[in-house]
Structures are given as structure tokens and as C-alpha cells.
């Protein structure tokens, strides 16, 4: 296939549109073009930003833009690798070469992105250079999306992989090959990473590492995955988080650079694919070990620039297939995003931890100094008291031998000595008291520091809780189906509760519907226990009992969903709350964990609040459905009304003309309804209308749209249905009405109807009014022809 034809077909695919939508959400919208390798522009997505249009509106600006395009196109086709560039006006752009195998097909070229790190005032100089109106130009700059160069370079590598894999997928679909798995894996990781990005940047290190490992293992469908970081002081790699590994192995495993597979990757900074670990001397494993059943392993460095500070290892695909070069490339992309995330998060946390640690060390040193000083003072006090006692005893002995005069003199000296000692003792007591007060102050400071740390942790948890509640309150109003709302909420709260499974029950009219969602693989016994417990809780909150058993739906598991195996066979803890509306239980929401520790009070309170939010949201949805039904449905027959029929017919006619599809319309009018109303009354007339509308519904069996637009007039719109098939449906409706037994006032009555059918495309039908008028004309032709007939429009 020629390169131009392949690129042309590629631009029209959903894979291309989905990839560009993902990239636009990440870096912002820009003008995107696909250029063949001969320079021919094959397709252009998105309108150019207003500021680019203003620059190209000037003669010099158009020349500069053309020169930039020619230069970047030549670089991309020569180097054959993605390029991030700055254009002549300071805006960012990127160029991605597109290949079929090793053959260059063309280039994806995009420009018009505002540099997030560039002073926006500098862009105003461009308006002066090209003689542009500065106010609208600056306004266009300020409202545009901003992106950093480093982020754009990383994401351009990702879009290059996505686009070229999509091209390979299109080519392989043409030749009967398939490569959908690789594209799906990259897209799945990008979705998971984007949804978790804000959470990744706010988690503490241990939780961050665990979330990165879980994202990687889910994306790659791997049952064993570990994240290792390099300890600069000990000069060794240790496991910080893992999936599918024993806790003892994670605590004891340590590796030096250059030793073993991970040591080799850490030393060289290159990703490694090992085909058979049992034959590789660098991997210490018993050959008969059943744990590593796929035998292959991939190990990829976590690095920024040339600095390697960690490793991601993977083993055991859930599909039981060995890893290949494509898996190695995919894990390298994941490791690149993980490296940037860990570096950013690590910097902010290390500063906070160093500050707290420094304060604790200083406090501890001050406490030790005061304690030592107190001990020295107490020892000095003891010495003083002993010395005083010795002097008193010596003076007593001396007084026995001295004369009265000398005795008075000695008494005076003794009194002075006693006074001095008492003064020194008072000073010593004062110092001891001050030291004790200082110790109390330091102990109080330590206590307040511990309380501050605890308060900070609680504040972070409350902030995360408020984030969850805000997301629920802002996103659920956009949803209109109870199942969609409940499923979305269970997925949204999983990172906060860290549950292994969750479920809900919801009373939908007469049906009790339930769903079980898994955050890891859950065996059949556990799933059954969830169903039994939810059923028991429902009976507890509804003493009247169940009229019918709940209908549970369980999402896919194991290899199909990429869920990892925890290894436990029964849940240890659970948490459930009812969904109450007007003091009546209308549902239940619950979470389950394999961990022995119960859910803390903060999580219990959050789930209770969420259950109230769900109740209010579901009440709003029910009210919206009821209002919509009142606005769109006929109250008597529950079919659509004339207003909705007009809108639906207009939309379907536009679709039929745009995509060259057939469209048919059946119009139905009861014969002699006035006779029934006048003879038996309007109550029986209404009964006849309801009966015939039910016959129409049963005959159509869900096909087309049925509407009542008059007292006894109905219409059936049949999209993508030609007039011959529509005529057959009309005949069945007519026959079913005529054969249905009816009785009024105890007397049998045969009901009949006249029908008109028109279809598009057809001569004389150019719009929705024409097709309606032609069917109506045929209807009255059937009436005039004796009733109980079907007439098809023919030009």
C-alpha cells in the first residue's frame, strides 16, 4: 500500500482521534497537520489559535512560519525521531515522524502551544514586531493552554509510540494482522496515570511507591512487580513496594550495583529483557520453583537524565505468555513517567521530614544538656551539704577547747559561714528549679510537636476526604443513570479506602440491582459471601422482606481485567451503610478488605456522608427522569408526544441525508373512534386508544420510535429502514389491530385502522416536512379507499 493511502486511512480511524484527544487533554489544543514525506498536507486537525492566525495575517509572519515549518520538517525526516521546538515567535511545537515498519511515511506537525515557564509579557513584543493589535493578541495568549518543555518532551515520546503503533495496527488490520494489545496497553496506562496524577504528587513516599507499582502491574497485566530504590549511604538497592511478593522477601532482598540482573540494570542504566531466568546465572532461583511460571523477566531503570535511582521489575503475565521487546518498551515508558513523579514528590517530602527531624534532634540535645546540668547541680548540692556537716562537726569539737572570748569570735565566723552556705544553697535551689522548669518546657514542646505532626496527618486525611466529596458533588450531577453514578463513586473512593472489593444494591422500580467491583482478584467464595451479606443487610433494613432475589453483576476478573492476586480466601473486615430516601432504605453501599485492621473512624464517617450524597443524587436523577418523561411522553399511552416526534424526525432526516441512509415513516389513524366516544363515552374511547397503542408497541417489538400526535393518530419513525420493510410493518400493525377482539357495552366491536407509509430517498421528499406530508396524504388515501388499508407513497 502506498504511504499516502495508508496515512489517509489512518487519519480517519478512531485510534488516531482517540490518541489526539488524549494528547490535547494533557498539553492543550493546538493546530495539528499530517504531512506526507513528499511535503503534501493530507489532513489538519483543530483550528489554529487566534494569536497564530494574527501572526500569519501579516506578510512577514507568514514567511517566518513557513520557514520554521520547512526547517522542522527537514529535521524530523532526517533524524527520524520526535522533536520539540520553539518557533520564531517563541511558541512551542512538536514534530513526530510516522513509520510503516522502518519506512518513513510522513510527519505529524503541531505548533501554537504557550510555554508555561516563559514570561507572558515577552509575547507582547511579538505584536509590536508584526504590527498587531496588542490587546486581543495578549488576551488570546492568556486564555491559551500552558505547557512546560520537559513535560512536552516526555509526552511527545509517548504520542510517538501511540501513533506509530496505531499505524502498525491499521496496516496489520489491512493484511489480517493485529497489534491492538500494544496500543490498548499504552492508552490504558496513560488514562490510569492521568486520573492518578494529582494523587501521585500528594502522597507520602511509601504510599506513592505502592500506587506506582499497582498502576504498572495493572497496565502490564503482570502478577509480580517490584519497585527498588538505590540507598546512597549503604550503596545498595532495596524493595520499596511490590505486588505478588512475600513480605519477608521484600524486607530482606538487597542488591549491589553490578550484581545480579537488577545490579546490571542499575549500573548500565539500560532496560533488560531476560528470556529464561532459570538459565541466567544473574537470577538466583530454584529451577523447579512454580512461582515464576512464565520464566521471562523485564527490568527497567528509573532515571532522570543519566541519574539511575531505582528499578522496576516485572514477572508473570496474567496471560501466561512470556514478555517481549514490546513489553520492555512499554515498561520503559511507564518508568519514565514514574521517575519524574517520584523525583517531584520526593523533593517536597524530604524537605518537610528534614525540618521535623532537625527540630526533634535539637529538642532532644537540649533535653540531655539540661538533665546533665541538673545532675551536676544535685551532685554539687550533695557535696555542699557534706562539707557543711563536716565543718559543723569540726566547729563543735573546737568549741569544747576554746575560751569564751574565742568562742564568741568563732561563733561569729561560724554564723557568717552558715549564712554564706545558706545563700549558696538558696542559689543552688533556684538553679535546680529553673532547670526543672526548662525540662518541663522542653517536654511540653515535644508534646506539642507530636500533636502538630498528628494534626498535620489528620488535616491531610481530611483534605483528601474533602477532595473525594468535592469530586463526587461536582461530577455526579453530570450523570443521569443510577448504575453509572454508583459504579463511578465506588471507583473514585478506592484510593482513599484502599479496599479490595466493593458493592452496592439499588432498588430500581420493582428490581433490586447489585454490582460487585474488584480492586484485586477475588475468588468465587468471596464474591458469594458479598452477595449473601448484602442480601442479609438489605433484609435487616427492610423487615418486610424481599419479593424477589437481588440481581448481582460482577465485573470481569483475572487476565481479562489485569487485577493482581492478593492470596487470601476470605475478607477480614467490611463496612456498609444504607442509602436512605424519605426514611425508606432504597439501597446499600459497602467496602471489603483482606486486612485485619478495621476501617478507621475517618473512613466510616466518610462512607456515611457518601451514602447521604448518593441518596440526594439518586433522588435528583429520579426527579429528572420523571420530568423528562412528562415533557416527552404522552400521559395516556406512555408513547412519545408530538414535540419529541418533530425533533426526532428532524435529527434522523439530517442523519439520513448526510450518510445516505434510508428513513421511513408510518402514520396510523383509528377508524371510527368518534363513534366509540359518542356511543360508549370517552372512557371506553381512551381504553381503545391504549389497547391499539399497546398492539403497535408489541408489533414493533422495540424497533423504531412510536409517538402519539393527535387524539387517535400515531406515527412510527424507522431509521435506516427502507419503505418496503416499513410497508410490511404497517401491514402487520393493521392485521393485528383488526384481529384483536374488542367489546364495548357488552357488545363485540371490531377495531380497524388506516395507515400511510412514505420513505426517503424518494422523489418529492427533500426534508422532514415532505416525508411527513407524503405519509399523511397516503393515510387519507387509505381512509378514502374504504379504511382498514395501508397505502405506500409512490411518486
Amino acid at each position: 500500500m502506498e504511504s499516502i493511502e495508508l496515512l489517509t486511512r489512518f487519519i480517519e480511524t478512531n485510534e488516531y482521534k482517540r490518541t489526539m484527544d488524549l494528547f490535547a487533554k494533557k498539553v492543550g489544543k493546538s493546530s495539528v497537520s499530517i504531512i506526507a514525506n513528499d511535503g503534501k498536507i493530507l489532513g489538519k486537525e483543530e483550528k489554529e489559535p487566534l494569536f497564530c492566525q494574527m501572526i500569519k495575517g501579516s506578510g512577514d509572519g507568514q514567511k517566518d512560519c513557513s520557514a520554521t515549518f520547512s526547517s522542522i520538517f527537514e529535521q524530523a525526516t532526517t533524524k527520524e525521531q520526535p522533536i520539540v521546538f520553539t518557533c520564531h515567535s517563541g511558541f512551542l511545537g512538536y514534530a513526530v515522524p510516522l513509520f510503516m515498519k522502518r519506512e518513513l511515511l510522513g510527519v505529524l506537525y503541531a505548533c501554537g502551544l504557550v510555554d508555561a515557564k516563559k514570561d507572558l509579557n515577552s509575547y507582547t513584543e511579538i505584536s509590536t514586531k508584526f504590527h498587531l493589535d496588542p490587546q486581543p493578541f495578549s488576551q488570546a495568549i492568556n486564555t491559551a493552554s500552558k505547557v512546560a518543555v520537559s513535560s512536552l518532551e516526555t509526552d511527545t515520546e509517548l504520542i510517538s509510540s501511540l501513533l506509530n503503533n496505531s499505524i502498525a495496527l491499521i496496516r496489520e488490520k489491512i493484511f489480517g494482522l493485529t497489534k491492538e494489545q500494544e496500543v490498548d496497553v499504552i492508552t490504558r496506562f496513560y488514562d490510569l496515570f492521568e486520573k492518578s496524577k494529582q494523587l501521585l504528587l500528594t502522597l507520602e513516599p511509601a504510599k506513592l511507591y505502592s500506587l506506582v507499582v499497582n498502576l504498572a502491574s495493572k497496565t502490564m497485566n503482570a502478577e509480580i512487580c517490584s519497585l527498588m530504590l538505590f540507598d546512597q549511604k549503604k550503596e545498595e538497592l532495596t524493595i520499596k513496594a511490590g505486588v505478588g511478593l512475600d513480605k519477608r522477601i521484600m524486607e530482606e532482598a538487597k542488591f549491589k550495583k553490578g550484581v545480579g540482573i537488577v545490579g546490571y540494570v542499575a549500573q548500565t542504566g539500560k532496560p533488560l529483557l531476560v528470556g529464561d531466568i532459570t538459565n541466567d546465572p544473574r537470577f538466583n532461583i530454584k529451577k523447579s520453583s512454580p512461582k515464576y511460571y512464565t520464566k521471562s523477566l523485564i527490568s527497567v531503570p528509573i532515571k532522570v537524565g543519566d541519574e539511575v535511582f531505582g528499578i522496576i521489575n516485572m514477572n508473570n503475565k496474567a496471560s501466561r505468555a512470556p514478555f517481549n521487546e514490546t513489553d520492555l518498551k512499554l515498561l520503559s515508558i511507564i518508568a519514565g513517567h514514574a521517575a519524574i513523579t517520584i523525583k517531584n514528590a520526593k523533593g517536597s517530602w524530604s524537605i518537610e521530614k528534614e525540618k521535623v527531624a532537625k527540630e526533634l534532634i535539637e529538642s532532644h540535645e537540649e533535653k540531655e544538656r539540661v538533665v546533665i546540668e541538673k545532675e551536676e547541680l544535685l551532685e554539687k548540692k550533695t557535696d555542699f551539704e557534706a562539707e557543711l556537716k563536716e565543718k559543723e562537726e569540726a566547729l563543735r569539737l573546737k568549741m569544747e577547747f576554746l575560751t569564751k572570748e574565742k568562742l564568741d569570735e568563732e561563733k561569729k565566723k561560724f554564723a557568717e559561714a552558715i549564712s554564706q552556705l545558706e545563700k549558696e544553697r538558696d542559689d543552688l535551689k533556684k538553679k535546680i528549679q529553673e532547670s526543672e522548669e526548662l525540662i518541663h518546657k522542653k517536654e511540653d514542646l515535644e508534646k506539642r510537636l507530636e500533636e502538630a505532626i498528628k494534626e498535620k496527618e489528620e488535616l491531610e486525611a481530611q483534605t483528601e476526604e474533602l477532595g473525594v466529596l468535592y469530586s463526587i458533588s461536582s461530577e455526579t450531577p453530570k450523570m443521569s443513570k443510577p448504575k453509572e453514578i454508583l459504579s463511578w463513586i465506588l471507583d473514585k473512593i478506592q484510593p482513599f479506602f484502599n479496599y479490595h472489593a466493593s458493592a452496592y444494591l439499588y432498588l430500581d422500580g420493582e428490581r433490586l440491582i447489585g454490582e460487585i467491583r474488584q480492586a484485586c482478584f477475588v475468588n468465587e467464595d468471596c464474591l458469594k459471601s458479598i452477595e449473601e451479606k448484602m442480601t442479609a443487610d438489605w433484609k435487616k433494613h427492610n423487615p418486610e422482606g424481599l419479593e424477589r432475589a437481588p440481581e448481582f453483576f460482577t465485573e470481569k476478573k483475572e487476565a481479562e481485567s489485569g487485577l493482581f492476586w492478593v492470596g487470601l480466601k476470605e475478607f477480614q473486615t467490611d463496612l456498609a451503610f444504607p442509602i436512605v430516601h424519605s426514611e425508606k432504605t432504597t439501597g446499600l453501599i459497602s467496602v471489603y478488605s483482606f486486612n485485619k485492621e478495621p476501617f478507621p473512624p475517618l473512613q466510616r464517617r466518610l462512607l456515611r456522608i457518601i451514602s447521604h450524597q448518593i441518596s440526594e443524587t439518586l433522588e435528583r436523577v429520579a426527579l429528572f427522569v420523571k420530568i423528562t418523561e412528562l415533557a416527552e411522553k404522552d400521559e395516556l399511552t406512555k408513547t412519545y408526544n408530538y414535540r419529541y416526534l418533530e425533533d426526532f424526525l428532524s435529527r434522523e432526516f439530517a442523519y439520513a441525508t448526510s450518510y445516505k441512509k434510508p428513513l421511513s415513516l408510518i402514520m396510523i389513524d383509528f377508524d371510527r373512534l368518534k363513534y366509540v366516544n359518542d356511543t360508549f363515552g370517552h372512557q371506553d374511547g381512551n381504553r381503545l386508544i391504549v389497547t391499539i397503542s399497546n398492539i403497535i408497541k408489541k408489533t414493533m417489538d422495540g424497533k423504531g420510535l412510536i409517538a402519539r400526535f393527535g387524539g387517535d393518530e400515531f406515527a412510527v419513525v424507522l431509521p435506516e429502514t427502507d419503505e418496503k420493510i416499513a410497508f410490511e410493518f404497517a401491514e402487520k400493525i393493521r392485521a393485528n389491530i383488526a384481529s384483536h377482539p374488542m367489546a364495548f357495552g357488552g357488545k363485540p366491536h371490531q377495531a380497524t385502522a388506516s395507515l400511510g407509509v412514505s420513505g426517503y430517498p424518494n422523489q418529492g421528499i427533500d426534508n422532514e416536512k415532505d416525508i411527513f406530508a407524503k405519509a399523511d396524504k397516503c393515510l387519507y388515501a387509505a381512509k378514502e379507499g374504504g379504511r382498514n388499508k395501508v397505502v405506500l407513497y409512490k411518486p
Side-chain angles (χ1 to χ4, degrees), residues 309-322:
F309 60 89
I311 304 289
I312 293 182
N313 302 299
M314 240 175 227
N315 192 282
N316 284 14
K317 270 191 178 181
S319 63
R320 304 301 189 263

Side-chain angles (χ1 to χ4, degrees), residues 465-478:
E465 173 188 333
L466 290 173
V468 171
L469 294 175
Y470 174 76
S471 296
I472 293 173
S473 62
S474 61
E475 292 297 327
T476 53
K478 304 174 185 177

Side-chain angles (χ1 to χ4, degrees), residues 56-69:
K56 288 186 177 181
S58 66
D60 293 339
Q62 179 65 49
K63 292 179 182 179
D64 290 347
C65 287
S66 298
T68 299
F69 168 78

